[in-house]
Amino acid sequence: EAAATAPARDTPAEAPPSRDAPRAEEDEKPPIARAEKNKMGSHANWRPDEVLYRGWFPLADDDADGRVTGADAVRFFGRSGLPKEILARVWQLADANRQGFLGPEQFVKALRVIAMAQSASGGADAKS
């Protein structure tokens, strides 16, 4: 006949940390690491098209090496329905440093140019 009382479930042992309070692991990083993280940005700051396009990056990066090569781009950008001449110019604009590949930022830039070209031509189906 032991009627023990259980602790109340609604009251936490300690208060949860404030949303504004810095996280311990962030404080432990050297200032350069924190600055690098800030430079990269967070997807909370991305425009909606960037979220979508970055989601497509792994689909275009066949070997998952973090780079979209020329061959990857031909295959992926070819789905746009744009002429190869336009896509070659898109590549030149996106790979401005002539690295021979696109990282995520350059890939987003390329897709934005492709979207503009599609809009200007009346859509992907409007080939001349």
Side-chain angles (χ1 to χ4, degrees):
E1 247 183 80
T5 58
R9 292 183 189 182
D10 297 345
T11 55
E14 65 181 57
S18 165
R19 289 180 133 178
D20 299 327
R23 297 190 311 196
E25 67 266 10
E26 197 63 29
D27 289 340
E28 294 169 5
K29 291 181 182 174
I32 291 176
R34 287 194 304 266
E36 189 63 28
K37 179 183 176 203
N38 292 339
K39 185 175 124 184
M40 296 293 289
S42 77
H43 92 255
N45 297 325
W46 294 344
R47 295 181 359 203
D49 66 336
E50 185 167 359
V51 173
L52 176 66
Y53 297 159
R54 283 181 179 261
W56 290 349
F57 186 82
L59 301 175
D61 180 14
D62 274 346
D63 58 2
D65 65 351
R67 300 174 178 191
V68 172
T69 64
D72 292 338
V74 166
R75 182 188 54 76
F76 192 83
F77 296 163
R79 296 177 181 175
S80 68
L82 294 171
K84 289 183 181 180
E85 299 79 25
I86 299 291
L87 296 177
R89 185 67 180 132
V90 167
W91 178 269
Q92 290 173 341
L93 292 169
D95 185 24
N97 296 331
R98 298 180 187 241
Q99 299 175 81
F101 65 87
L102 304 179
E105 293 81 17
Q106 294 87 10
F107 182 76
V108 168
K109 182 179 184 179
L111 289 179
R112 286 178 174 155
V113 174
I114 287 171
M116 285 190 280
Q118 287 174 323
S119 294
S121 70
D125 294 331
K127 288 186 180 179
S128 44

